Amino acid sequence: MGYVFDMNIAGKTILVTGAGMGIGSMICRELARAGAAKIIGIDLFSKDLKDTEISVNREGCAFVGYECDISREDQIDNLLRLFETEGNTFEILVNNAGIAPSGPFVEKDFSVWKKAIEVNVIGTIKLTHACLPILRTHKEAHIVNLASIAGKFGSEGTAVYSATKHAIVGFSNALRMEFYDNKVGVSWICPSMTRTRMIEGVKSSFFTPVIEPEQVAKAVCKAIQKNKGEVILPGYLRLSIVILPTLFPKFFMWLAVRAKASRGWLTANKNLN
């Protein structure tokens, strides 16, 4: 039997990417409420981390912020060298940073799709690879990757975003298996559309109900504490996006197309944000 453990967040130091706003900021606040001793926040610009720092400090938790573009491997390497110089260590890594461009696949310049892959996939995997030597110095550690329900089924308007999140689901699942007999837990969170600026102008559907950032943040905490693998939010979507397409793939495809389940992303035609 693999190593199963409950991890206490209290007293831990946690690295969170995309910590400046939206889900990332809420995750930092929730981890602070759960008793984290220190949050290391990463975002493109340090000025975007100020509100998160204030909120985390109010919960009695220390916060330190760093600028890093995770789509740049050299910036990740420089950040980890800085951590080594400053003696920064952490037991938990939360890979939250991501972008969600959408629109007709062939009509958008490929550079937009390439950037999504660089941030959502290469950045997440590179940072995880760079951080694992630090995580493994601790008696117990945990990695949380923010995926999406788009990582469970592809949908019109999100061809590349869906591909990136499928990649994160597969990466997370394999990594959890690789560390199954070790003291490094791996979780991946697959939320539905979450009420942040990322979904502005996108119409929801019964396949993709809108949930609150607080729900995602609480799910991240619980995944760490209980060493959960895959978490789908809301939970009932497992029936419609996992079980239904597995048992009845043709019917699921027909239903999704006829119901225009994801036309909102196609028509919103979002750029890099």
Side-chain angles (χ1 to χ4, degrees):
M1 184 175 179
Y3 185 79
V4 179
F5 60 92
D6 291 344
M7 188 171 186
N8 193 346
I9 293 172
K12 299 296 191 297
T13 298
I14 306 167
L15 176 62
V16 182
T17 68
M21 59 189 68
I23 294 173
S25 182
M26 187 57 63
I27 288 171
C28 291
R29 298 174 196 182
E30 195 64 34
L31 290 168
R33 292 189 189 110
K38 182 179 180 180
I39 304 291
I40 302 172
I42 293 177
D43 218 311
L44 275 173
F45 305 107
S46 57
K47 62 180 178 62
D48 293 333
L49 294 164
K50 192 60 183 176
D51 287 344
T52 302
E53 179 180 8
I54 293 170
S55 298
V56 166
N57 289 162
R58 282 176 182 160
E59 300 296 333
C61 177
F63 183 92
V64 58
Y66 294 89
E67 287 187 0
C68 182
D69 180 352
I70 67 165
S71 70
R72 296 270 305 275
E73 292 186 46
D74 61 326
Q75 289 198 20
I76 292 176
D77 290 334
N78 290 339
L79 180 66
L80 268 292
R81 280 193 288 268
L82 183 58
F83 284 171
E84 185 177 3
T85 300
E86 296 181 350
N88 271 322
T89 188
F90 44 90
E91 297 96 331
I92 300 169
L93 168 64
V94 180
N95 285 307
N96 165 73
I99 55 176
S102 70
F105 173 67
V106 75
E107 295 179 15
K108 198 173 287 289
D109 190 89
F110 185 73
S111 63
V112 174
W113 305 134
K114 181 181 178 182
K115 187 66 175 180
I117 294 168
E118 289 171 343
V119 175
N120 298 358
V121 182
I122 298 174
T124 295
I125 293 175
K126 164 67 177 179
L127 183 63
T128 302
H129 186 268
C131 289
L132 268 166
I134 295 175
L135 294 170
R136 296 184 73 185
T137 63
H138 297 280
K139 292 181 179 180
E140 58 180 10
H142 204 96
I143 299 167
V144 181
N145 294 325
L146 267 292
S148 167
I149 60 168
K152 303 302 293 182
F153 71 96
S155 57
E156 54 196 337
T158 65
V160 174
Y161 179 72
S162 294
T164 67
K165 293 306 182 179
H166 272 74
I168 293 305
V169 168
F171 169 65
S172 304
N173 206 332
L175 205 61
R176 183 176 175 87
M177 189 177 296
E178 189 167 328
F179 287 102
Y180 191 67
D181 290 316
N182 295 279
K183 298 179 182 180
V184 180
V186 180
S187 304
W188 55 105
I189 315 297
C190 298
S192 181
M193 289 174 59
T194 307
R195 201 184 305 280
T196 66
R197 70 174 191 173
M198 188 177 283
I199 70 164
E200 288 176 0
V202 182
K203 186 178 180 180
S204 62
S205 74
F206 69 92
F207 275 116
T208 54
V210 176
I211 63 174
E212 300 299 327
E214 292 85 352
Q215 293 175 258
V216 182
K218 289 181 184 298
V220 168
C221 286
K222 189 173 181 180
I224 294 168
Q225 292 164 334
K226 299 298 181 182
N227 191 21
K228 289 177 172 288
E230 181 173 87
V231 178
I232 293 176
L233 294 173
Y236 68 79
L237 284 182
R238 185 172 295 277
L239 174 63
S240 59
I241 68 170
V242 178
I243 297 175
L244 183 62
T246 299
L247 296 178
F248 308 103
K250 290 183 179 180
F251 174 70
F252 173 78
M253 178 66 76
W254 175 87
L255 182 62
V257 172
R258 289 291 177 269
K260 299 181 179 179
S262 55
R263 292 286 296 183
W265 288 102
L266 189 67
T267 56
N269 200 14
K270 299 176 74 67
N271 289 307
L272 296 171
N273 50 42

